[in-house]
Amino acid sequence: MKILLLGSGGREHALAWKILQSPKVDKLFVAPGNAGTAVGGCVNVALKADDFEGIKRLVLAEGIDMLVVGPEDPLVKGIYDYFRDDTELSHIPVIGPSRAGAELEGSKDFAKRFMHRHGIPTAAYRTFDGTQLDEAMSFLETLAPPYVLKADGLCAGKGVLIVPTLEEAKQELRDMLGGMFGQASARVVVEEFLSGVECSVFVLTDGKDYKILPEAKDYKRIGEGDTGLNTGGMGSVSPVPFADEEWMRKVEERIIRPTVEGLASENIDYKGFIFFGLINCSGEPKVIEYNCRMGDPETETVMLRLKSDIVDLFEGVAEGNLGQRKIQIDERHAVCVMLVSGGYPGTYAKGLPIDMSGVQAGANTIVFHAGTAFNADGVVVTAGGRVMGISSYGSTQNEAMNRSFAVAEQVAFEGKYFRHDIGADL
Ligand code: AMP
Ligand code: GLY
């Protein structure tokens, strides 16, 4: 079969790597992809992931049999519905939820109300718009610091503020409702701060049944010891030690099952990944956020640990018989270390050549490209803040870490930075 994968990050390179291992796949297209997805049986197509008409033309011209959606943007914009409602496309399965399902990520207020309706544990909250400034200020006064303010809509990962004092929280909330993130912060969720260690849990669902993928922990801050600015993610590890059988049983009973059943009971079409951003509050899992896609850089470790044929699972999603498919997990540990551009997550240069000549990656290490591209001379250059994810297997976490750190040292580009403490806290 022929598959089209949308997206261009490390997540998509990891999905492409996994999809290409399937004997069911004849050809994989990635739109737009990166310099890593342009090789090894993959074809990049210069199309934006939200150019629905361009995607339709490509799908029809190439006879594509399945669409797999990496990032949230096309899902929140309704690519699933676009395919479902188009007579020429409706027979082609889309792995990813409908627009209504993607609201779990596209609207924080929708997600909170959904959790409330289905009794799913999460932080206490209220949502306010610009007409409720006084009420919002009074609500803030009832909370203990620090204060958590979330723009309702998508803000490319920048819409959550954690503010230490009441004074600052009031100011930030006024600014958010005043248009700090445009339309995305026309409504703001104000919620209770939860403390604990975070863990990302992923399922693939056909809307009835679900398969739980390996969990992972990502490292969001730029600096070692989890300091400095938030980033898209500086690395990930899987498995996560505290996510043991007992904890995962709570996650499944209290969070995963009520979510999948809740979507079905509300007639929300959901055939794709659900990403549960969880926090471990003294042994009790709570939901920090939902995403309607896989995580990045979590995918760069989760895919290493998925032994099953992912395309077989996708077919189960498409045919609505996921319950009959088997999922097998690799017992080994996986660690991903992200190489980023100097200056990231602030301003950084692009177009710097990447020298891989010193790289000696054994069979246990996979180099996933993220922000990379070919320049006019065909040289692989940096093209984003997060440049490459170095993912390794190990029989222990330490072994996997050391393999990734060794290769992280060997890749060379001007300004390269990575955290040397990925996994060190666990
Ligand atoms: P999000 O953009 O929703 O992923 O939120 C960004 C980060 O903010 C999360 O990964 C958490 O680290 C943190 N965060 C969000 N909500 C809360 C909360 N209620 N309590 C503590 N930390 C939070
Ligand atoms: N790693 C967090 C995310 O993908 O949103």
Side-chain angles (χ1 to χ4, degrees):
M1 68 192 291
K2 291 183 186 171
I3 296 183
L4 170 61
L5 169 65
L6 300 184
S8 62
R11 167 182 52 213
E12 285 73 25
H13 191 188
L15 286 168
W17 173 80
K18 187 67 194 163
I19 289 169
L20 284 172
Q21 291 170 18
S22 171
K24 295 172 187 271
V25 176
D26 301 310
K27 198 160 180 186
L28 176 63
F29 295 86
V30 189
N34 58 39
T37 61
V39 291
C42 244
V43 179
N44 281 355
V45 187
L47 266 180
K48 290 212 177 92
D50 62 357
D51 175 3
F52 292 3
E53 281 169 22
I55 291 166
K56 174 176 175 175
R57 281 194 295 275
L58 175 73
V59 164
L60 295 178
E62 295 291 346
I64 282 164
D65 302 294
M66 178 183 278
L67 180 70
V68 180
V69 186
E72 63 278 15
D73 227 39
L75 294 166
V76 173
K77 289 179 179 157
I79 193 147
Y80 176 95
D81 313 60
Y82 179 84
F83 270 61
R84 184 194 57 200
D85 300 341
D86 185 304
T87 49
E88 289 176 286
L89 298 175
S90 58
H91 64 289
I92 298 165
V94 175
I95 306 302
S98 63
R99 189 205 305 256
E103 281 293 274
L104 283 183
E105 174 164 4
S107 166
K108 303 261 186 214
D109 178 56
F110 173 86
K112 296 298 284 192
R113 284 187 284 120
F114 178 88
M115 287 187 266
H116 195 73
R117 285 197 290 281
H118 299 286
I120 295 165
T122 185
Y125 82 106
R126 278 191 61 190
T127 302
F128 301 97
D129 65 26
T131 67
Q132 299 167 294
L133 219 51
D134 291 342
E135 259 179 275
M137 297 302 146
S138 310
F139 182 65
L140 272 178
E141 285 167 11
T142 69
L143 299 175
Y147 302 88
V148 182
L149 309 177
K150 300 185 170 181
D152 177 50
L154 287 185
C155 296
K158 297 184 173 64
V160 176
L161 302 183
I162 304 207
V163 186
T165 69
L166 184 61
E167 267 333 288
E168 287 167 275
K170 286 184 171 179
Q171 193 52 50
E172 296 283 14
L173 182 54
R174 270 189 217 103
D175 292 348
M176 284 174 97
L177 290 171
M180 182 171 168
F181 298 107
Q183 203 41 42
S185 66
R187 286 187 301 172
V188 175
V189 170
V190 178
E191 69 177 36
E192 168 199 15
F193 180 83
L194 299 174
S195 58
V197 184
E198 289 176 55
C199 178
S200 306
V201 170
F202 305 94
V203 306
L204 184 62
T205 180
D206 61 4
K208 292 193 308 282
D209 290 298
Y210 54 83
K211 297 289 180 198
I212 304 177
L213 303 174
E215 79 287 352
K217 179 176 189 291
D218 86 340
Y219 291 79
K220 288 200 165 74
R221 304 295 194 96
I222 187 73
E224 288 175 8
D226 264 324
T227 52
L229 293 174
N230 250 329
T231 70
M234 297 297 293
S236 67
V237 305
S238 179
V240 179
F242 67 76
D244 56 14
E245 215 172 295
E246 148 117 36
W247 198 78
M248 286 304 290
R249 190 183 46 73
K250 291 182 192 171
V251 171
E252 182 169 6
E253 279 174 13
R254 299 175 192 174
I255 295 170
I256 295 174
R257 196 171 309 131
T259 298
V260 174
E261 289 177 357
L263 290 165
S265 73
E266 296 188 21
N267 291 316
I268 295 174
D269 237 352
Y270 206 114
K271 291 172 177 288
F273 294 106
I274 312 176
F275 169 161
F276 300 86
L278 305 179
I279 189 161
N280 183 19
C281 301
S282 316
E284 306 305 318
K286 292 190 180 180
V287 179
I288 290 271
E289 60 161 353
Y290 286 115
N291 295 306
C292 61
R293 50 164 175 90
M294 285 297 292
D296 194 348
E298 290 96 328
T299 307
E300 291 93 306
T301 46
V302 172
M303 286 303 124
L304 266 67
R305 299 194 58 232
L306 177 63
K307 263 199 202 163
S308 318
D309 179 346
I310 197 169
V311 178
D312 180 62
L313 297 174
F314 287 161
E315 283 180 336
V317 171
E319 293 165 19
N321 57 21
L322 185 62
Q324 294 162 29
R325 315 274 169 152
K326 287 266 172 303
I327 181 161
Q328 280 184 301
I329 307 301
D330 196 312
E331 294 303 315
R332 285 176 293 173
H333 292 251
V335 173
C336 171
V337 175
M338 267 289 163
L339 308 182
V340 305
S341 298
Y344 175 78
T347 52
Y348 52 84
K350 290 185 188 177
L352 301 169
I354 302 172
D355 179 2
M356 302 286 286
S357 61
V359 174
Q360 291 181 305
N364 286 303
T365 299
I366 302 112
V367 175
F368 292 124
H369 287 230
T372 69
F374 295 105
N375 70 9
D377 302 322
V379 174
V380 177
V381 296
T382 63
R386 292 190 294 168
V387 175
M388 282 180 176
I390 315 295
S391 293
S392 303
Y393 288 103
S395 52
T396 60
Q397 188 188 287
N398 259 326
E399 190 177 49
M401 282 160 65
N402 290 333
R403 284 178 173 146
S404 285
F405 290 135
V407 174
E409 297 287 359
Q410 293 160 1
V411 176
F413 60 88
E414 196 187 315
K416 178 188 76 177
Y417 169 80
F418 63 94
R419 272 180 63 171
H420 295 71
D421 65 344
I422 301 302
D425 57 325
L426 293 174

